[in-house]
Amino acid sequence: MALFCLVAALYGRTASFHFVDWDDRHHVYANPAVVDPAAAHPLDRWLGRNIGYPLPLTLATWRLDRALYGPETLDAVRPAQGQGYHRTQLLWIFGFALALYGLGSVSIAPGWPAALFAGLVVAHPVAAEPLAWITGRKDLFVGIFAALTLLSLWRARVSDSARWWWLATGFAVLAMASKPTGVCLAGFAVWAVTVGRPRGHRPASAAWVLVAALCGLAAVIIVVGSAWHLQLGGLETATPADTPGARLLRSLHATSWHLRMLAAPAWLRAKYVIETPTTFGVTELATAAVGAMTVGISWRWRHHVAGWAAAFALFAWLPVSNLVPLRRHVADSYMLLPWVALCWGVLGSIASRPAPPARSGRPQALPRPVLLVATGALLVLSLRAAPQIETWRDSVQLWKQTLRYEKDSPQVCRMAGHGLFFEGERHKALAMWEACAARFGPALFANNLAIAALQVGERDKARRWFQWILARRPNDQRAQRHLRALRSGRDDAGR
């Protein structure tokens, strides 16, 4: 009940949140595969090729929400329609908390220890993005099915039955169908069946076949996803400087950034539009040491929940470690699974001894001082998470918060105007873009200024901006069309 109340207090407000104009457009409300699937290519409709990687399960749930809440067409989008999607997502957030509670009950201790484990995960500010953002549903789904996969594998480690291996395989497949980062579960399943099993215990014969099938599916997803991502320009083109050493350096930098965000959530920003420059210093050296220590724990305590959590942390970080040259590698959603692993390992190592081969072994309860410290940490995290969750209320709030940290970015300034325009605050959007143009120059904002001026009825100002655009880009057909409509006095100018 306490866990339910915590989730409701933190995320209940999301039921009134809107669409935001950051990836929600590409993924959901302007995605033909969601809004008009009959007109979309089958690969876009069922697998999400136009997004850049396969996510059929997440895509199906967005399509169901669209049938319930709209938009009816690509031209009938209203930001408030996102409220229905968020109500659906709130149910999945409760499901995530329950899945974590189940994992904690079997591997840490039932009752308060398991509730604290689940609460610490959902209350950390890094969980706000995947849980409170409609596009973040793909990461939320991976989190749900990853927790259920870990629960099943933990049970399967001492079971003579293939049932738990079948369940683990099914949940891992659902995680991969939600977002390709779920492929980390295939690697972890290999570790669990070869390294993590108790001494002298032989897993069910079906385990090897199921794990091999998982690895095959993961390989297909990686190949297909990489090909689609390259087609859309989502991966950087290899350059002579993009050597294995350079990738390793970026990996250390990205991982050190993630660790700092987990350890000091007060540093978290609303959204990372601008990547931090890659550096190598004390934090990267410390990150390498932490990585080596994690590898050691995953081997030394491989029969203990601490070893399992360490191994899972290593596999969970691989898809987002920047060893694959992603354009953006510091995002809150990338830290959800590693945070699950960290909470699982710390609380589990305190509560339980090395996993016994007997089925009757029960984890011990957490000591009272640990419960008090964990409860205090939960309260602190909840207070920090509340404003991070509020960031995703609508586009205005998102870009207002982002602009606080990215004051010198013309792109963020432009997006702040977009947020106002998307929410229907056209006069404020025009004023924002005029301020941006005065500060950064008009080149990036001219189209926005012209259209916004038309939308608020300032036709003379719009005409001047379209003339400014055509003076620099004489073949700009959109500017030509709008300017002809303005000169003829037609009412459809700006549409």
Side-chain angles (χ1 to χ4, degrees), residues 267-293:
W267 291 351
L268 277 172
R269 302 178 184 179
K271 194 70 186 171
Y272 297 94
V273 178
I274 301 174
E275 289 295 295
T276 58
T278 300
T279 60
F280 186 79
V282 175
T283 55
E284 283 71 27
L285 287 173
T287 299
V290 170
M293 183 176 66

Side-chain angles (χ1 to χ4, degrees), residues 425-444:
E425 300 184 27
R426 305 295 169 82
H427 286 88
K428 291 183 179 180
L430 178 59
M432 171 64 74
W433 283 323
E434 286 176 340
C436 295
R439 182 178 180 189
F440 300 107
L444 184 62

Side-chain angles (χ1 to χ4, degrees), residues 121-388:
V121 172
V122 300
H124 197 291
V126 300
E129 181 176 300
L131 273 60
W133 181 28
I134 295 173
T135 298
R137 185 181 298 183
K138 52 193 177 180
D139 298 285
L140 171 60
F141 278 3
V142 173
I144 293 171
F145 297 119
L148 294 173
T149 302
L150 295 174
L151 189 160
S152 302
L153 289 173
W154 184 257
R155 285 294 185 91
R157 79 196 192 284
V158 292
S159 175
D160 296 326
S161 171
R163 177 184 60 174
W164 290 109
W165 285 104
W166 279 103
L167 285 172
T169 302
F171 290 135
V173 169
L174 290 173
M176 295 184 203
S178 303
K179 188 180 179 181
T181 49
V183 299
C184 67
L185 294 169
F188 181 75
V190 173
W191 181 92
V193 76
T194 56
V195 178
R197 69 175 189 267
R199 298 180 182 89
H201 177 77
R202 295 180 62 85
S205 57
W208 300 100
V209 177
L210 293 173
V211 169
L214 274 182
C215 292
L217 177 60
V220 171
I221 290 174
I222 291 171
V223 171
V224 171
S226 298
W228 290 353
H229 216 164
L230 280 169
Q231 289 176 1
L232 295 177
L235 297 177
E236 294 176 345
T237 303
T239 63
D242 195 21
T243 62
R247 291 190 182 186
L248 180 60
L249 179 59
R250 285 201 303 269
S251 174
L252 284 173
H253 175 73
T255 305
S256 68
W257 184 274
H258 293 160
L259 287 174
R260 280 179 286 172
M261 295 304 102
L262 292 177
W267 291 351
L268 277 172
R269 302 178 184 179
K271 194 70 186 171
Y272 297 94
V273 178
I274 301 174
E275 289 295 295
T276 58
T278 300
T279 60
F280 186 79
V282 175
T283 55
E284 283 71 27
L285 287 173
T287 299
V290 170
M293 183 176 66
T294 305
V295 172
I297 292 173
S298 68
W299 174 256
R300 176 66 180 83
W301 301 99
R302 59 190 180 278
H303 307 306
H304 184 268
V305 66
W308 277 57
F312 179 61
L314 292 170
F315 283 104
W317 242 300
L318 280 178
V320 295
S321 64
N322 208 42
L323 290 174
V324 174
L326 299 173
R327 290 193 183 278
R328 296 179 60 254
H329 58 265
V330 288
D332 299 359
S333 57
Y334 294 166
M335 295 182 261
L336 184 62
L337 292 186
W339 176 239
V340 170
L342 182 60
C343 292
W344 188 33
V346 171
L347 293 179
S349 62
I350 296 173
S352 61
R353 295 182 181 136
R359 294 193 187 93
S360 59
R362 288 178 60 85
Q364 303 173 5
L366 289 174
R368 187 178 296 273
V370 175
L371 283 174
L372 292 175
V373 171
T375 303
L378 180 61
L379 292 174
V380 172
L381 288 175
S382 298
L383 291 173
R384 182 63 186 89
Q388 197 75 6

